[in-house]
Amino acid sequence: MAATAINLPSIAHDGDSIEGDLSLDGFAHVDPKFFSRYSGPSDKDDLTSSPRRSVSSGEASSVSSASNSEEDYDALEIDPSTVVPGGRGGGLHAETTTLDSPLVADEEHGSKGDHTQEQRRPPNHRRTSIPITIQTTGKRGRYLLKADDPELKEILSRSIQREALEKLQKRRSRFSDLVFTRQFTAFDRQNPASASSAFHGFFTLFWLGVFLLLVKVAADNWKRYGSIFGHNEILTMMFHKDVLVLGITDGVLCGSTVFCLLLQKAIRADYLSWNKQGWIIQNIWQALYLAGTIRWTIFREWPWSHTVFITLHCIAMLMKQHSYAFYNGYLSELYSQKRSLERKLEQLDNLDPVSAVTSPSSTAYGTSYFELRDLHSIHRRRRSIHAKSMPHLDEEPDLASAASAIESGITLDLDQIQNFERIIQLEIDNLNEELNGKCSTTANQYPANLNIRDFASYIPLPTLVYELEYPRQDSINWSYVAEKTAATFGVLAVMLVISQAFIYPVVITTVEMKEHGLSLSARLDELPWILSELLFPFMMEYLLAWYVIWECILNVLAELTRFADRGFYADWWNSVSWDQFARDWNRPVHNFLLRHVYHSSISAFRISRSSATLITFLLSACVHELAMWCIFKKLRGYLMIMQMMQLPLVGLSR
């Protein structure tokens, strides 16, 4: 007999045999690691526990087994100093529990008998040999190891059950699990870590410097124009046209998002299917939504300030609609699958079990819980029935086999009916867990969330990622709202002063150079001096624009909506790599790209993490280029090229 060895990953799902590869380095044996892994009841905890990895809104779990050398776009860690106790909802207090199913209960009860049997064995009991039989399989290099020993049969059966149970429990959502927690922004006075920081004085020093800058600008205006406010050309340009029309347009943008709710209600009523027509209709609507808004800005000939505001708000509303529609569309498919499985359970309840000894049709199917290999042949014979009535079970061979067996009308004994019920009930429990989402304090699980109240509360939230429930504060601090509102208008005034005093004159000089017919070479000679004059004011405008949006406006919205997760940014000023900066300076957009572009492209197209990172950066670059085109009405491409250059810079920074 040829020398052989068992290769554990090649285990065949049979109750008393293992299929392996031929080896020329030893005798036929079973790896002792196999016995140590599956022979005792200590594995009961592994069978009945299925901990789910969850990540905060600033971190995400990896979805691929790619090597560490690949781009890890979602490698994020939440700052523990910013997380504070309190707040409720959003799954913040939901415990990670095991799946409560008849199968788990049976496994726990069954393990007690095994444990008693193990206790009766001598402590150093060791088998010197196990009678086995090796049979050829007709394939070169493959064989079947048949065990006649009852103990080995029990071990093999337990290992197969373990593998099958882990397979059923390893359901992974297409959307990464973002957990919203209660936390404050870094510069918020409510953040105890920021207030007690030794560097907090530099924050105060910055605003002292801004105040001195305003004093200087006011003095120059008084000296030149006789007024501390100057001529205010930018302010006049911003408010001389279509201010009321701008407000009405923004209201229409927000109100028209209700289309997503109506579409999801139609899908819930089974008028449409998300996987067939729903996602196509949603994408067409999003394209029309964006194109219509841009066309409207061109038609009204708005100044750049109006165009920037309405374009960016349109893109934000577009991302909100996409998250709402695609997450609820995904849940609608799970809900349909759940209803289909519940119908199968009803069919099983109506079946009359027959005796396994006297039924010729039932003897072809094993009564062991996971011994369903022969049912795959019925699944193939009943493929047409399965395709019509069970479109959601293609990824679960055990479920497909059970469904085909039920629909085929074959006679089943009592053990087989109970086994099928356990398989289906376990999957229903998994589906219920996903349909509940992060709900821990409300009953807003799908499809109860498809109502105008939930949708209207989601639209003003300072997040671009839809969840069934978010952590909320108990009340609104109106003094805090007044403080942040005053800060918003104050920072906008500072930005206006800097633009009027330091940017507008340089821009006017550049335009006059072109209008006066100055040659290209002469203008290029002046370019370095122009850039040097714009560097500092542009940096100030960038910092103030970031501060007014992510620190002031989003905190006002969060307080008004009692949204407890204020992790809108991290300490991007301490970034040591380009990818870290891309993640930390704008967390709401990053979370959207992470869930609906990065992870979704991996799950939908089965691509690598590196390819998903490329797609994510490319989409972000295209959106930024679109915003630049809306402002200047010219497609340059340099901004897109510079943003895509971040990818090689990420590799160099590592």
Side-chain angles (χ1 to χ4, degrees):
M1 181 176 65
T4 56
I6 297 300
N7 186 7
L8 287 179
S10 301
I11 294 176
H13 284 196
D14 195 346
D16 58 352
S17 66
I18 302 178
E19 183 175 348
D21 299 319
L22 285 176
S23 174
L24 300 179
D25 58 354
F27 297 99
H29 69 280
V30 177
D31 194 333
K33 295 181 180 179
F34 180 76
F35 289 94
S36 63
R37 180 179 179 185
Y38 296 115
S39 59
S42 59
D43 291 326
K44 176 175 71 71
D45 293 336
D46 294 334
L47 283 169
T48 58
S49 63
S50 179
R52 297 181 60 187
R53 288 190 58 190
S54 61
V55 291
S56 69
S57 61
E59 81 183 313
S61 58
S62 175
V63 296
S64 174
S65 58
S67 62
N68 294 332
S69 62
E70 293 187 8
E71 173 60 29
D72 193 6
Y73 178 74
D74 56 348
L76 279 176
E77 293 182 0
I78 193 169
D79 185 2
S81 63
T82 62
V83 181
V84 296
R88 55 187 178 82
L92 187 60
H93 301 294
E95 298 180 357
T96 304
T97 57
T98 58
L99 296 175
D100 185 13
S101 65
L103 170 64
V104 176
D106 289 350
E107 288 290 342
E108 291 176 349
H109 291 303
S111 63
K112 294 180 180 179
D114 296 340
H115 185 61
T116 304
Q117 183 178 359
E118 288 288 338
Q119 288 179 341
R120 287 197 294 264
R121 293 178 183 174
N124 296 323
H125 176 74
R126 191 179 184 89
R127 295 287 299 272
T128 57
S129 64
I130 297 176
I132 58 175
T133 304
I134 295 180
Q135 300 178 357
T136 59
T137 62
K139 297 180 181 179
R140 183 177 181 182
R142 308 293 294 178
Y143 68 93
L144 278 177
L145 185 149
K146 304 289 290 187
D148 298 327
D149 185 85
E151 180 182 351
L152 182 58
K153 287 184 178 182
E154 179 184 355
I155 294 172
L156 296 179
S157 178
R158 190 181 302 136
S159 69
I160 293 170
Q161 292 183 20
R162 176 193 177 99
E163 291 180 2
L165 180 59
E166 289 179 349
K167 176 183 173 184
L168 285 176
Q169 290 183 340
K170 285 181 180 178
R171 166 179 288 275
R172 187 182 187 92
S173 172
R174 294 181 184 178
F175 300 94
S176 86
D177 289 333
L178 298 175
V179 175
F180 291 85
T181 60
R182 186 174 184 237
Q183 56 181 324
F184 297 121
T185 52
F187 293 114
D188 198 326
R189 63 175 175 81
Q190 299 182 93
N191 188 347
S194 176
S196 60
S197 173
F199 294 93
H200 186 71
F202 280 96
F203 178 71
T204 306
L205 182 62
F206 171 82
W207 290 112
L208 286 175
V210 170
F211 173 75
L212 295 177
L213 180 65
L214 294 179
V215 172
K216 178 184 182 303
V217 172
D220 290 343
N221 287 337
W222 178 267
K223 179 180 179 181
R224 186 176 305 176
Y225 306 110
S227 171
I228 62 174
F229 299 106
H231 285 172
N232 288 326
E233 291 89 349
I234 295 180
L235 188 64
T236 303
M237 178 184 62
M238 289 174 60
F239 291 98
H240 86 284
K241 180 181 181 181
D242 278 0
V243 177
L244 181 60
V245 175
L246 178 65
I248 296 175
T249 301
D250 193 54
V252 172
L253 275 180
C254 296
S256 58
T257 58
V258 76
F259 174 86
C260 300
L261 174 61
L262 299 178
L263 177 61
Q264 293 303 318
K265 280 184 169 293
I267 293 173
R268 169 63 184 88
D270 292 331
Y271 294 122
L272 298 170
S273 171
W274 173 255
N275 282 345
K276 293 180 179 178
Q277 309 97 348
W279 70 273
I280 298 176
I281 296 175
Q282 179 64 34
N283 283 324
I284 293 175
W285 161 252
Q286 291 176 181
L288 294 176
Y289 185 87
L290 179 61
T293 303
I294 295 176
R295 182 67 183 88
W296 179 249
T297 62
I298 297 174
F299 173 75
R300 299 300 301 180
E301 296 182 350
W302 278 342
W304 67 269
S305 56
H306 292 43
T307 303
V308 166
F309 170 76
I310 209 67
T311 301
L312 294 182
H313 201 191
C314 171
I315 294 175
M317 291 295 103
L318 196 68
M319 289 188 284
K320 275 182 167 287
Q321 293 179 79
H322 183 92
S323 182
Y324 182 88
F326 276 76
Y327 185 52
N328 279 294
Y330 170 69
L331 293 181
S332 70
E333 293 298 318
L334 298 184
Y335 187 74
S336 298
Q337 182 179 354
K338 174 191 170 184
R339 289 190 300 172
S340 179
L341 292 175
E342 289 173 344
R343 288 193 295 268
K344 298 304 171 188
L345 280 180
E346 293 179 0
Q347 294 182 26
L348 284 175
D349 292 337
N350 296 329
L351 288 179
D352 294 328
V354 297
S355 173
V357 178
T358 60
S359 174
S361 60
S362 63
T363 55
Y365 310 103
T367 57
S368 177
Y369 170 44
F370 284 101
E371 197 172 350
L372 302 173
R373 189 174 55 176
D374 293 329
L375 291 180
H376 295 306
S377 61
I378 291 184
H379 171 54
R380 288 191 294 270
R381 291 197 302 268
R382 299 287 180 171
R383 186 182 299 269
S384 59
I385 299 177
H386 173 73
K388 294 179 181 179
S389 59
M390 296 295 294
H392 308 289
L393 301 181
D394 296 335
E395 299 178 357
E396 301 289 347
D398 293 334
L399 288 173
S401 300
S404 298
I406 296 170
E407 292 188 359
S408 63
I410 64 173
T411 56
L412 299 173
D413 58 40
L414 181 59
D415 288 338
Q416 291 168 337
I417 292 177
Q418 291 177 347
N419 291 334
F420 286 152
E421 287 178 344
R422 290 168 181 171
I423 295 174
I424 295 175
Q425 187 60 52
L426 179 61
E427 183 64 14
I428 290 177
D429 291 340
N430 288 335
L431 293 173
N432 281 329
E433 183 180 357
E434 197 156 2
L435 290 172
N436 288 336
K438 302 297 186 299
C439 292
S440 59
T441 62
T442 64
N444 201 45
Q445 64 272 12
Y446 187 90
N449 66 311
L450 299 180
N451 57 76
I452 190 63
R453 179 180 179 181
D454 176 78
F455 185 80
S457 66
Y458 162 67
I459 290 299
L461 288 178
T463 180
L464 301 174
V465 175
Y466 178 76
E467 278 291 349
L468 298 176
E469 186 180 89
Y470 301 94
R472 300 297 183 105
Q473 296 183 157
D474 294 329
S475 61
I476 299 176
N477 187 344
W478 291 105
S479 63
Y480 180 84
V481 173
E483 172 192 336
K484 288 298 181 181
T485 302
T488 299
F489 287 101
V491 174
L492 289 175
V494 173
M495 294 176 63
L496 181 62
V497 170
I498 293 176
S499 299
Q500 181 66 48
F502 300 102
I503 298 179
Y504 183 77
V506 178
V507 173
I508 293 300
T509 301
T510 305
V511 173
E512 290 177 350
M513 290 170 54
K514 185 176 181 180
E515 292 178 348
H516 292 164
L518 202 64
S519 64
L520 179 61
S521 59
R523 281 183 285 164
L524 289 176
D525 291 339
E526 294 294 326
L527 181 62
W529 309 108
I530 293 175
L531 292 178
S532 65
E533 292 181 11
L534 292 176
L535 282 178
F536 180 75
F538 270 6
M539 184 193 71
M540 287 294 296
E541 290 290 83
Y542 174 82
L543 292 176
L544 293 174
W546 171 83
Y547 184 84
V548 75
I549 296 175
W550 280 270
E551 178 62 35
C552 298
I553 296 178
L554 293 185
N555 268 317
V556 169
L557 291 175
E559 191 67 30
L560 290 174
T561 58
R562 299 187 295 111
F563 186 74
D565 193 333
R566 313 290 174 88
F568 305 131
Y569 60 88
D571 54 340
W572 54 265
W573 47 89
N574 291 326
S575 299
V576 295
S577 63
W578 285 96
D579 56 328
Q580 182 183 0
F581 172 80
R583 292 191 300 262
D584 290 347
W585 83 278
N586 187 351
R587 282 287 178 84
V589 171
H590 168 75
N591 290 336
F592 174 85
L593 295 175
L594 185 64
R595 170 189 267 192
H596 295 288
V597 180
Y598 180 78
H599 283 298
S600 293
S601 60
I602 290 177
S603 62
F605 304 114
R606 300 295 189 268
I607 60 177
S608 65
R609 292 164 59 188
S610 298
S611 300
T613 301
L614 177 62
I615 293 175
T616 303
F617 271 81
L618 180 61
L619 178 62
S620 177
C622 291
V623 172
H624 283 81
E625 191 65 33
L626 175 63
M628 294 297 293
W629 180 86
C630 292
I631 297 174
F632 300 106
K633 302 300 185 294
K634 293 181 181 179
L635 188 62
R636 300 294 188 183
Y638 60 85
L639 182 62
M640 181 177 178
I641 294 175
M642 293 177 65
Q643 187 162 352
M644 293 305 297
M645 287 179 60
Q646 293 182 27
L647 286 176
L649 289 175
V650 167
L652 292 175
S653 64
R654 292 184 173 185

